[in-house]
Amino acid sequence: MKSYFSTSYKQNENGYIEILLQIIKMMNINASNREVNDFLFEVGVNLANKHAVKNVDSLSGLHLEINDILTKMGFGVCQIEDADNHVIIKHHDLPVIDDGDFKNKWLQYFSVIMCGLYNSWFRQTGAPVELVCTIKEIIAPSDAVFEFKRVK
């Protein structure tokens, strides 16, 4: 029996999505949009602290490190591009849900979690506090574009 569980049993990634979906739906009903966003951003910050990037000395090194962490977490992958005075993060394969009425809100809220992650990962590499991760675009069903730049 032990052999079965150690080799054949695989965790269902959708299990954590279902739990998170229900939590976010309840928060959406019981709190303001700003409160939900603030809370989910902090969730991303806490996840980044738990899954910190190693010391990297280049944007390409950070890109590889982040993708390694994202893959292990089941959160998709990203492309990071230097755009002169800011960084563009193209994120692919965010977790998708089947709930038709909540799909757009889900993608928006999960993107806020990702902003918390990216913001913290860049801070861990020495980025100044004046630079902040923002959602530039959400592309259904599972992609988003973020910018890490100075907020005026």
Side-chain angles (χ1 to χ4, degrees):
M1 186 63 113
K2 182 178 178 181
S3 172
Y4 169 78
F5 284 111
S6 64
T7 59
S8 301
Y9 176 75
K10 293 185 179 182
Q11 290 182 334
N12 182 349
E13 289 180 6
N14 294 329
Y16 85 89
I17 296 295
E18 286 298 318
I19 291 169
L20 184 58
L21 174 60
Q22 294 308 314
I23 291 169
I24 291 175
K25 278 183 160 184
M26 292 176 71
M27 289 172 61
N28 188 61
I29 292 168
N30 294 301
S32 72
N33 194 48
R34 181 182 174 106
E35 291 171 320
V36 176
N37 283 330
D38 289 349
F39 178 82
L40 293 175
F41 186 89
E42 285 301 313
V43 167
V45 168
N46 289 338
L47 283 170
N49 290 335
K50 181 174 170 62
H51 303 278
V53 293
K54 297 175 186 160
N55 291 335
V56 292
D57 57 0
S58 67
L59 192 58
S60 61
L62 179 62
H63 173 236
L64 293 173
E65 180 70 18
I66 286 175
N67 273 320
D68 186 47
I69 296 168
L70 289 173
T71 300
K72 289 176 185 171
M73 294 174 76
F75 285 4
V77 296
C78 72
Q79 296 170 273
I80 299 176
E81 302 170 2
D82 184 358
D84 293 326
N85 63 349
H86 66 285
V87 173
I88 296 173
I89 305 160
K90 295 178 180 175
H91 193 103
H92 307 286
D93 297 326
L94 289 167
V96 177
I97 62 166
D98 291 329
D99 188 329
D101 294 336
F102 204 72
K103 277 185 181 183
N104 291 336
K105 276 235 180 244
W106 165 262
L107 197 50
Q108 175 69 36
Y109 284 143
F110 207 90
S111 293
V112 172
I113 294 171
M114 296 309 301
C115 263
L117 276 162
Y118 286 125
N119 206 61
S120 293
W121 283 331
F122 277 88
R123 290 272 181 288
Q124 291 169 4
T125 65
V129 284
E130 295 84 22
L131 302 177
V132 178
C133 181
T134 58
I135 300 168
K136 180 178 180 182
E137 181 181 11
I138 295 178
I139 307 161
S142 64
D143 292 354
V145 179
F146 303 93
E147 289 183 314
F148 191 71
K149 64 182 182 178
R150 189 174 311 278
V151 177
K152 297 176 185 178

